[in-house]
Amino acid sequence: MRILVLDGVSEKGIDILREPGFTVDVIEEKLSEQQLVEMIPAYDAVVVRSATKITAPIIAAGVNLKVIGRAGVGVDNIDVQAATQHGIIVVNAPDGNTIAAAEHTLALMLALARHVPQANEALKKGKWLRKEFTGVELRDKILGVIGLGRIGTAVAKRAQGFAMKVIGYDPYITHERAREIGVELVSLEDVYREADFITVHLPKTKETVNLINREALAKMKPGVRIINVARGGIINEQDLYEALKTGKVAGAALDVFEVEPTTESPLFELPNVVVTPHLGASTEEAQVNVALDVAREIVTILQGGMAQNAVNMPAIPKEDALVVKPYLALAEKLGKFISQLTSEFENIEITYAGDVACINTAPLTTAIIKGIMESYSDVPVSYVNAVQLAKGRGLRIMETREEEAHDYTNLITVKLTGGPCPKAVGGTLFRDNDARIVLIDGYRIDMVPEGYMLVAPHIDKPRIIGRVGTLIGEHDINIAGMQVGRKQVGGRAVMVLAVDNVVPEAILGEIAKIDGIIDVKFVSL
Ligand code: NAD
């Protein structure tokens, strides 16, 4: 495996990437899109910070690319949609720089309140100015936090240490969560109307670009101070410039800009603007943290595991990982198994019963769909694009949960329905996570889900199993195990043979001709 590391990702993360024996190429200089398009086919993974843009053409050229790692939070420098279409996982490191960004927000807020940069500059130029730099206190001021995720929350908590009253707007968090962090959840209009300081901690999305524009600024308190340590473009720079000029906004502190990097902006000429060149995450600690986090994710993914912080697939929260992971391989095998029994279906019906019904099953459903779609897709199927591929084929995915798993403690059943011959397969984890297929079309069996198998529904009568065995034996194919599931003597039954070699089509044709055999399928797991 080969990994390309760009943008000066911390050495400690690079060490983690080298540990499993992966080849890691670290390139310090900035590469053009064309250079990356030429280089990328050699790589299984690429890691960037914010400088390099991983665009659709680079992703399309990355024929071996499995994962794109962003050592940081924002992924607006990565074309996530293109990555998803190509089945490439995008992972970020959302936790590592929370404190750095929150502390920088506080630093900027204090700098704004007390004119620290302006006073520093004046004094160093030989001007002892005191009256001009009279500031305001944070105590008893109202801080409006827009976006109460990781950083917004950390900022809110720290602002409370300065005795500020914190109000916030975030349509995606509950009042209970807001209460826990000591923030009064209000409408956006109320934030504009009441706040003395407003800080944005939002992702840059269609919804949030230009959120703070002329209309929003007009609704704010005269003399409001505004801070952006999130993403450039959330605040419209032209509109902010005008509001600063008129004095409607008393000051603004900006760490991020619509175009980056930049050393020129009308905003830089205003005395009431404090700027830093995207330094929010730039602490020694944060750079190490994000590099370690993203490197661990990349190693996990390249070794076949599931990511914790994937941007474009259902992530497994840390607290769920221990209980979900043992089921993942079984889920994928069930999908792969059933997809080889029929190709005519419209619905994928999944039932989680018993213990497995109570856990986060989203990753398991993805694993099942991945197993199924591998039989039907000519593009590589991964956890990222599996569900999208299934939906693109018009397949309906249905999920149900049942408390009772009959004779098992847990049971996952996958049915392919809507075609002429619906199929069903069920699997369970016994003690020590010992995976078994225990049901095929309602017949009980007990097979380890691995290797090669023949699945043959038939009529339960003498001389069928023997003839199948003899025929296979005559072609030098060893039978490693056999199970027959039946409901009543003389009725329908299903025979499953574990075999040591691939069974060629011609032999399957001969088996199908044996009197009493209803169908025969070769399954490879
Ligand atoms: P997060 O995902 O934890 O939080 C974002 C919050 O915004 C979520 O709670 C979400 O519900 C909320 N939100 C989304 N859309 C919204 C909307 N339209 N209105 C109100 N709330 C909305 O992210 P985070 O880790 O707190 O990061 C916040 C921002 O800071 C991101 O844009 C990230 O890229 C940026 N960031 C910048 C730096 C820097 O160097 N300046 C460093 C780290 C993070």
Side-chain angles (χ1 to χ4, degrees):
M1 296 276 184
R2 207 160 165 188
I3 304 170
L4 177 63
V5 177
L6 304 169
D7 297 348
V9 170
S10 162
E11 266 303 316
K12 291 201 173 142
I14 296 169
D15 291 345
I16 288 192
L17 295 173
R18 287 204 174 106
E19 247 169 49
F22 298 152
T23 307
V24 182
D25 296 333
V26 181
I27 296 187
E28 299 294 346
E29 74 263 25
K30 180 131 177 50
L31 298 172
S32 68
E33 183 179 61
Q34 189 49 38
Q35 283 173 307
L36 273 165
V37 164
E38 282 161 23
M39 292 171 67
I40 207 75
Y43 292 97
D44 297 278
V46 57
V47 193
V48 294
R49 287 176 60 207
S50 56
T52 301
K53 288 194 168 36
I54 302 293
T55 59
I58 299 169
I59 288 166
V63 286
N64 291 309
L65 209 55
K66 293 161 192 70
V67 49
I68 300 167
R70 158 77 167 104
V73 184
V75 287
D76 33 284
N77 57 324
I78 297 165
D79 191 329
V80 177
Q81 205 183 344
T84 305
Q85 274 160 5
H86 287 83
I88 297 166
I89 302 171
V90 179
V91 283
N92 65 349
D95 298 319
N97 55 25
T98 299
I99 302 305
E103 289 186 1
H104 195 60
T105 307
L106 268 296
L108 289 182
M109 190 150 55
L110 287 163
L112 259 189
R114 303 303 294 272
H115 311 293
V116 176
Q118 297 89 336
N120 171 71
E121 199 187 340
L123 185 52
K124 287 185 174 169
K125 283 190 178 146
K127 289 189 210 151
W128 181 266
L129 304 177
R130 299 188 63 232
K131 202 164 51 45
E132 291 80 350
F133 293 134
T134 303
V136 292
E137 291 179 8
L138 299 188
R139 186 180 58 162
D140 293 338
K141 296 290 182 314
I142 298 179
L143 172 65
V145 182
I146 305 179
L148 285 159
R150 280 172 288 260
I151 298 169
T153 298
V155 167
K157 286 184 179 163
R158 280 155 183 75
Q160 286 156 19
F162 283 96
M164 297 185 91
K165 180 185 172 195
V166 186
I167 60 174
Y169 169 70
D170 188 326
Y172 307 110
I173 75 156
T174 60
H175 280 272
E176 194 188 337
R177 170 76 186 137
R179 255 195 311 279
E180 273 168 25
I181 57 175
V183 175
E184 187 191 338
L185 211 52
V186 298
S187 68
L188 194 53
E189 303 287 311
D190 285 345
V191 171
Y192 293 154
R193 196 171 38 241
E194 291 177 27
D196 301 296
F197 288 80
I198 291 179
T199 181
V200 292
H201 298 287
L202 300 164
K204 186 172 177 177
T205 63
K206 270 192 222 128
E207 248 181 53
T208 64
V209 167
N210 275 325
L211 182 78
I212 309 260
N213 56 13
R214 182 169 312 179
E215 292 77 52
L217 289 160
K219 292 176 191 162
M220 292 179 191
K221 249 187 187 174
V224 64
R225 290 175 171 82
I226 298 176
I227 302 127
N228 185 4
V229 182
R231 280 284 172 267
I234 294 172
I235 301 178
N236 182 298
E237 289 178 4
Q238 179 63 35
D239 295 350
L240 177 66
Y241 176 85
E242 280 159 25
L244 282 157
K245 275 290 237 193
T246 63
K248 167 83 185 189
V249 173
L254 307 170
D255 183 47
V256 287
F257 303 91
E258 281 167 11
V259 178
E260 291 185 20
T262 182
T263 52
E264 280 173 24
S265 160
L267 286 164
F268 297 174
E269 285 146 29
L270 298 180
N272 47 354
V273 172
V274 175
V275 289
T276 48
H278 205 140
L279 292 183
S282 298
T283 61
E284 288 168 19
E285 294 86 344
Q287 287 319 307
V288 173
N289 288 344
V290 292
L292 290 176
D293 288 354
V294 85
R296 287 190 190 111
E297 289 278 69
I298 287 173
V299 169
T300 304
I301 293 163
L302 291 183
Q303 291 180 334
M306 233 178 149
Q308 212 112 86
N309 288 313
V311 173
N312 55 351
M313 60 186 280
I316 310 181
K318 272 197 198 98
E319 59 278 17
D320 292 345
L322 269 181
V323 283
V324 172
K325 277 191 178 154
Y327 288 106
L328 272 178
L330 170 66
E332 189 170 336
K333 291 269 175 76
L334 290 173
K336 202 165 176 184
F337 187 97
I338 198 164
S339 70
Q340 295 173 74
L341 300 186
T342 179
S343 56
E344 290 177 87
F345 59 96
E346 286 175 4
N347 312 311
I348 301 170
E349 299 178 32
I350 302 167
T351 308
Y352 296 104
D355 292 351
V356 69
C358 310
I359 67 174
N360 172 9
T361 53
L364 303 183
T365 297
T366 307
I368 291 168
I369 309 293
K370 174 174 183 275
I372 293 172
M373 292 314 294
E374 271 168 0
S375 297
Y376 302 112
S377 176
D378 47 5
V379 297
V381 183
S382 72
Y383 284 103
V384 170
N385 60 353
V387 172
Q388 199 184 39
L389 286 171
K391 291 190 173 161
R393 277 178 48 117
L395 298 173
R396 275 190 299 275
I397 301 162
M398 295 171 239
E399 220 186 281
T400 46
R401 288 160 196 272
E402 288 170 6
E403 212 175 304
E404 280 297 314
H406 308 289
D407 296 337
Y408 307 97
T409 54
N410 60 78
L411 183 67
I412 304 176
T413 313
V414 185
K415 289 185 187 164
L416 299 183
T417 62
C421 186
K423 288 283 164 194
V425 60
T428 191
L429 282 187
F430 287 128
R431 212 183 309 159
D432 298 327
N433 296 329
D434 185 12
R436 295 300 168 90
I437 292 180
V438 290
L439 285 173
I440 295 179
D441 295 341
Y443 299 99
R444 281 170 182 256
I445 55 148
D446 183 353
M447 298 294 283
V448 178
E450 61 187 31
Y452 302 128
M453 288 180 227
L454 279 185
V455 180
H458 61 280
I459 303 297
D460 179 40
K461 60 181 189 177
R463 289 175 29 90
I464 295 188
I465 296 170
R467 287 175 71 186
V468 173
T470 308
L471 211 153
I472 293 173
E474 278 167 2
H475 289 87
D476 255 358
I477 294 170
N478 191 43
I479 299 176
M482 193 195 75
Q483 288 271 318
V484 177
R486 65 176 188 185
K487 289 177 187 162
Q488 65 191 65
V489 179
R492 277 186 168 228
V494 68
M495 169 187 354
V496 185
L497 297 176
V499 289
D500 288 339
N501 309 82
V502 172
V503 181
E505 277 296 323
I507 303 177
L508 293 178
E510 286 181 48
I511 296 171
K513 282 186 212 146
I514 295 174
D515 179 36
I517 290 285
I518 299 167
D519 187 19
V520 59
K521 289 279 188 298
F522 175 71
V523 171
S524 167
L525 290 181

